[in-house]
Amino acid sequence: MITAIAIDDEPLALEVIKAFCAKLDFIKLVRTFTEAAAALKFLNEEPVDLLFLDINMPSISGIDFYKKFSNDMLAIFTTAYSEYAVEGFNLSAVDYLLKPIEFGRFQKAVEKAKEYRDYLRHKGNETLQHLFVRVDYSLVKVPLADILYIEGLDNYIKIHFESAKPLLVRMSMKGIAEKLPSAGFVRVHRSFIVPFSKVTSVRNKIIYLKKQEIPIGTNYVEEVLKLF
């Protein structure tokens, strides 16, 4: 069960969130607030899992409000202005909802928050079956079994799949390596990470993943060959 509060200076917007939460059995909306100061006081005494935050409030923006907390609490921003999504993305928000909010879109965002909370709680567990990355100002769930290989491109990585379009993610190779279970993936080149399960053969400093050929970097040869 996820616990949450909602903060919005418009009472009608809070009623919408309250009605939507009542339809879902995995989230409990503990309180709603029209004033940020009252919400801040409440959270200092009773922290919750998730915040629904209106970005455009008169006393303080939802973005500035969220900056007062660590990322232990997740946030879903609500706004009537799509350009605010970039700022929410930079703050590691789970998602943002554009007003007027539709229930289907709301449910999708809250389910993502629940999955991401569970992921964070079990992060580092070698039995994890997926990871989360940020694409287009939102979290995307990536099943580990679907990854064919990961390619490094300057300040980005490209996650390649067997039967889907690649994902371009603003992240370093070191950053993605820290998210992946070490027992299932190996870095074979400064620009490539591969899953053990997809390797079909290794020959002449080349790793074969079905029809894909991945070079083994000079500095990685010894360790990679030991593994295989």
Side-chain angles (χ1 to χ4, degrees):
M1 176 72 72
I2 284 185
T3 57
I5 68 166
I7 309 168
D8 198 309
D9 60 314
E10 299 177 7
L12 182 58
L14 292 175
E15 288 301 317
V16 170
I17 292 175
K18 186 185 296 184
F20 285 173
C21 286
K23 294 182 179 182
L24 303 173
D25 60 5
F26 58 86
I27 184 168
K28 179 180 180 182
L29 188 65
V30 180
R31 291 278 297 276
T32 61
F33 297 90
T34 55
E35 296 183 0
L40 182 61
K41 181 179 179 181
F42 175 85
L43 289 172
N44 285 331
E45 297 175 356
E46 299 183 48
V48 295
D49 299 315
L50 176 65
L51 309 177
F52 293 101
L53 283 170
D54 180 33
I55 291 179
N56 192 25
M57 295 188 291
S59 58
I60 182 173
S61 74
I63 289 171
D64 289 335
F65 183 91
Y66 188 52
K67 286 178 181 177
K68 295 178 180 292
F69 299 94
S70 68
N71 286 344
D72 290 342
M73 280 189 283
L74 306 178
I76 294 176
F77 288 113
T78 61
T79 178
Y81 308 97
S82 59
E83 60 267 25
Y84 284 122
V86 176
E87 293 184 73
F89 173 79
N90 290 335
L91 280 179
S92 300
V94 171
D95 210 341
Y96 77 98
L97 298 172
L98 196 60
K99 297 177 180 179
I101 303 170
E102 297 179 353
F103 175 70
R105 182 68 181 84
F106 178 88
Q107 181 177 6
K108 183 178 179 181
V110 177
E111 287 175 345
K112 188 189 302 181
K114 181 180 182 299
E115 289 183 336
Y116 190 50
R117 184 204 60 174
D118 294 343
Y119 166 76
L120 291 176
R121 286 183 175 180
H122 298 91
K123 195 174 180 180
N125 187 333
E126 294 292 333
T127 62
L128 278 177
Q129 301 300 308
H130 58 266
L131 57 81
F132 283 85
V133 295
R134 296 189 175 278
V135 180
D136 296 334
Y137 315 128
S138 185
L139 283 172
V140 174
K141 183 180 178 180
V142 177
L144 295 177
D146 292 350
I147 298 174
L148 182 60
Y149 67 96
I150 298 169
E151 180 181 7
L153 303 167
D154 294 327
N155 295 324
Y156 291 83
I157 60 167
K158 184 181 282 189
I159 304 177
H160 295 264
F161 303 97
E162 291 189 66
S163 56
K165 292 182 178 180
L167 284 179
L168 190 63
V169 183
R170 188 176 179 83
M171 181 185 289
S172 67
M173 288 291 279
K174 180 181 178 182
I176 190 66
E178 290 173 350
K179 285 177 170 285
L180 295 166
S182 58
F185 290 81
V186 57
R187 189 168 182 176
V188 300
H189 188 282
R190 65 186 300 272
S191 298
F192 294 101
I193 294 173
V194 302
F196 284 111
S197 61
K198 301 294 171 60
V199 176
T200 55
S201 63
V202 180
R203 297 196 304 272
N204 299 324
K205 297 183 182 179
I206 298 291
I207 287 179
Y208 294 86
L209 309 170
K210 295 189 176 180
K211 295 182 180 181
Q212 184 67 42
E213 299 180 7
I214 301 293
I216 301 175
T218 303
N219 295 331
Y220 297 83
V221 171
E222 185 177 351
E223 289 302 315
V224 171
L225 293 182
K226 283 181 182 178
L227 292 172
F228 288 101

